[in-house]
Amino acid sequence: MNHDKRPPFAAINWHAPWLERYAALGEAAAQQVLAGATVAQAFNHLVAQGAAPDPGVRFVPQADLPSGMAYEQFILERAQVPTRDNLHDFFNGLMWLHWPQTKRRMNQIHGAAVQAQGVQARRGPLRDALTLLDENAALLVAPAALQHALQTRQWQLAFMTLRPLWQQAQLYPLGHALLEKLVYPRKGITAHIYQAPTAIKKDQSIDTSWAHALQAEHLATKPFFPLPVLGIPGWCAENANFYFYDDSMVFRPARAALEVL
């Protein structure tokens, strides 16, 4: 159980490995919020001062979203992101600054689905996948052997036998709910790893490649596999011991193995 009584924005550990690429802008924005700015004001200020790249949207109070209007449609039509003063929306804004092309592409696909289908009680497979991508996904660029071991949930192989291959791997968190959960790390936190239809390489613009890879038909297949992120070498000191991965409540076997059992 978490007993951290600090204000949520002060509780963020900007030295955590999952925040490595986000720390510079994120910490600057968090300091403004702690000084009294709203989350929307903090991000808009960073962009206006040239301290952050322009994501092509502005951040506005949640109250600006008209009653009955879909959140995604509002962003698509007005290039404004309704933003509350909490960690969830803070990390959403931070993702807009770091992955502007990917976030815009997601919004375009989501907005097109809303226009075609309307706002319904059930989202359907495409909108479900987009929500999962937005909230809890990450992109893993890694050697094929490591990717395959993870996809087939061969945890000891992926994290112990193939452990040296993690030096060639990069995980790019996108889900803002995922980053919110990691403010208070626990073993069971699991990301949904997006399986792109084409290879994405580290020497290319990850944002551009990721945005181009997002296609409605592919997303509707829900192309994800689970990864308990604190199993990543360097993300948790305890995972240096192979017993860490014997917790079947977190590192669950593949479905075929469960059927055999």
Side-chain angles (χ1 to χ4, degrees), residues 13-143:
N13 176 14
W14 293 107
H15 299 290
W18 47 87
L19 292 176
E20 179 181 6
R21 62 181 46 85
Y22 306 132
L25 292 179
E27 189 167 14
Q31 289 299 325
Q32 290 191 33
V33 173
L34 288 167
T38 66
V39 171
Q41 289 169 343
F43 284 125
N44 288 334
H45 180 76
L46 288 177
V47 174
Q49 295 299 310
D54 190 340
V57 295
R58 292 295 176 267
F59 303 95
V60 298
Q62 179 73 20
D64 285 9
L65 176 64
S67 177
M69 186 173 191
Y71 171 86
E72 297 86 359
Q73 195 66 26
F74 181 82
I75 298 174
L76 186 62
E77 292 182 4
R78 305 193 189 185
Q80 297 177 343
V81 179
T83 303
R84 298 164 298 181
D85 293 320
N86 56 29
L87 285 177
H88 190 82
D89 286 12
F90 175 84
F91 283 114
N92 183 48
L94 193 56
M95 294 305 96
W96 271 101
L97 295 187
H98 280 271
W99 306 105
Q101 295 180 65
T102 300
K103 292 285 280 187
R104 281 198 298 270
R105 177 62 180 153
M106 290 164 56
N107 180 240
Q108 289 165 359
I109 298 173
H110 217 144
V114 170
Q115 287 180 332
Q117 304 167 10
V119 179
Q120 301 177 3
R122 299 189 64 177
R123 288 175 172 263
L126 174 57
R127 293 184 64 204
D128 278 347
L130 284 164
T131 300
L132 191 60
L133 184 70
D134 195 30
E135 295 281 348
N136 205 60
L139 178 69
L140 178 68
V141 180

